[in-house]
Amino acid sequence: MNKIRYERRRYTAGPTPIEKLERLSQVLGGPTISIKRDDQLGLTVGGNKTRKLEYLVADALRQGADTLITCGAVQSNHCRLTLAAAVREGLKCQLVLTEPVDGYNPQANGNHLLFHLLGVEKIEVIPAGGDTQPVMEKLAQELADQGRKAYLIPVGGSNEVGSLGYMACAEEIEQQSWESGTVYDYVVTASGSAGTQAGLLAGFLARQSDIKVIGVNVSRDRAAQEAKVLDLFASTAEMIGLRGEIRPESVRCDDRFVGPGYAIPTEEMIEAVKLVAQTEGILLDPVYSGKAMAGLIGMIREGRFANENHVLFLHTGGSPALYTVPQLFIPERS
Ligand SMILES: Cc1ncc(COP(=O)(O)O)c(C=O)c1O
């Protein structure tokens, strides 16, 4: 592999911890489970986007941009963290948000408060299912007309540059595994815009690691998600000159825990979020890590792992979204 020459900003001091989930492992009675606490990454209630932004923002600064423009759902962790990274770097930030199907109610949404508290320059809300790209391009053109320079970041920060953040994470996991003398057989992660899973696959391949990565889908069906991960893996590998092939069967995505659709709660997610809170005191989120943990629990119950396996669950963050759905977790008569 060519030496990676990509610049990186740093938003977290040191590696995120890996903790053994002894009580959860005992309750589930299967493999040993540990958790990689990427919910403790830096910026404003950090999560997996923080790692991608370290490379994306470095690229924006290198190109002389003064404004970051990105897009996502109303409750997007990626939008909140892009704005936080912009604040940290003294850049402006504009956001294009897609309205939920039941309409955008700013009062019912914690991110709206944070967007304004962090000083967002502009928010454009477009109808559910709308195409954000032309709106981002229009905003960039308006800035160019004023002599400013925008840097566009795709949904979820998932392009080749963003994926470098999870290549770096794979390296961090390998280093922690080496230092602690612990061999992880699997990493289980939520898989959405695919940068996390694609970056991990590229990073483990670069280290010639045997760790298998299982993505738990949060929106698409299996074939579509596996194709998305494989595409992004391939373009990232090409960008950095990564040698070595990945077998298509190494890209594993499980779509059985999505439920009725993206961000729509499921019984399994509610059970998973409660179980991890009540056995380990760790907060997951209802859209990503809650469904990913529901996937891990489901796979353990169906005997997917051997008892001597060690599974590393990647906590990708997102817990602020919990506070938008208290009704899912508070018993009716409390
Ligand atoms: C908290 C959280 N976890 C997981 C994901 C999914 O990661 P990726 O989009 O890289 O597949 C996201 C993406 O928005 C996220 O916000």
Side-chain angles (χ1 to χ4, degrees):
M1 189 181 68
N2 295 340
K3 193 169 177 339
I4 298 181
R5 281 170 287 112
Y6 293 89
E7 284 160 45
R8 178 181 185 181
R9 304 295 294 165
R10 294 281 179 164
Y11 300 133
T12 311
T16 56
I18 292 182
E19 298 164 1
K20 212 180 238 186
L21 300 183
E22 281 177 12
R23 285 177 45 74
L24 181 69
S25 306
Q26 197 181 13
V27 168
L28 293 171
T32 303
I33 308 167
S34 290
I35 191 166
K36 171 88 172 145
R37 298 294 306 267
D38 269 14
D39 57 316
Q40 294 184 2
L41 287 164
L43 299 175
T44 308
V45 197
N48 63 343
K49 308 307 170 192
T50 304
R51 286 192 191 270
K52 302 179 186 185
L53 286 161
E54 290 188 336
Y55 288 91
L56 289 162
V57 175
D59 195 37
L61 293 171
R62 191 182 54 77
Q63 293 185 24
D66 53 41
T67 308
L68 303 178
I69 300 180
T70 197
C71 59
V74 165
Q75 196 52 48
S76 163
N77 297 299
H78 168 66
C79 287
R80 183 184 70 252
L81 291 166
T82 301
L83 172 57
V87 171
R88 186 69 78 82
E89 303 290 358
L91 303 173
K92 299 277 184 216
C93 180
Q94 302 193 354
L95 301 172
V96 179
L97 303 179
T98 39
E99 204 172 33
V101 261
D102 52 354
Y104 182 45
N105 174 5
Q107 306 312 323
N109 160 4
N111 253 2
H112 192 73
L113 158 70
L114 295 178
F115 290 155
H116 288 280
L117 190 57
L118 292 166
V120 68
E121 186 175 43
K122 193 173 206 174
I123 295 180
E124 290 236 358
V125 181
I126 68 164
D131 187 358
T132 52
Q133 187 62 25
V135 186
M136 291 203 292
E137 283 166 11
K138 181 199 76 174
L139 293 176
Q141 188 54 51
E142 284 169 10
L143 291 175
D145 294 344
Q146 299 162 29
R148 289 173 52 184
K149 184 161 185 191
Y151 183 87
L152 268 56
I153 300 180
V155 68
S158 283
N159 60 11
E160 297 75 18
V161 176
S163 298
L164 295 177
Y166 270 87
M167 279 197 76
C169 179
E171 197 158 323
E172 194 175 295
I173 291 170
E174 281 289 318
Q175 186 67 27
Q176 287 170 304
S177 159
W178 171 254
E179 280 165 13
S180 64
T182 314
V183 176
Y184 303 107
D185 301 290
Y186 295 89
V187 171
V188 173
T189 178
S191 193
S193 61
T196 302
Q197 192 174 354
L200 285 173
L201 286 167
F204 288 134
L205 181 68
R207 298 282 300 230
Q208 299 183 324
S209 161
D210 288 335
I211 302 182
K212 299 174 191 68
V213 181
I214 302 177
V216 181
N217 301 4
V218 297
S219 50
R220 286 173 204 87
D221 68 32
R222 180 177 171 169
Q225 189 67 17
E226 288 181 348
K228 195 171 173 62
V229 173
L230 193 56
D231 271 5
L232 185 53
F233 162 82
S235 55
T236 304
E238 192 186 334
M239 180 183 81
I240 58 172
L242 176 62
R243 291 200 201 94
E245 290 280 303
I246 191 165
R247 291 193 309 277
E249 62 270 23
S250 303
V251 179
R252 303 151 195 237
C253 295
D254 195 325
D255 62 8
R256 293 172 299 157
F257 303 91
V258 176
Y262 173 71
I264 301 178
T266 61
E267 286 303 320
E268 293 91 335
M269 175 280 289
I270 296 171
E271 185 208 358
V273 171
K274 281 187 182 166
L275 186 62
V276 174
Q278 293 172 15
T279 53
E280 300 288 348
I282 293 174
L283 299 182
L284 299 175
D285 86 279
V287 180
Y288 300 99
S289 53
K291 284 189 179 172
M293 181 54 83
L296 173 56
I297 294 171
M299 288 182 252
I300 290 174
R301 287 183 179 151
E302 70 194 17
R304 167 87 179 258
F305 307 105
N307 280 3
E308 55 277 14
N309 281 163
H310 198 144
V311 179
L312 182 63
F313 178 79
L314 180 66
H315 188 337
T316 47
S319 66
L322 270 182
Y323 305 104
T324 65
V325 287
Q327 71 284 1
L328 297 180
F329 302 101
I330 300 175
E332 257 167 37
R333 270 177 284 114
S334 328

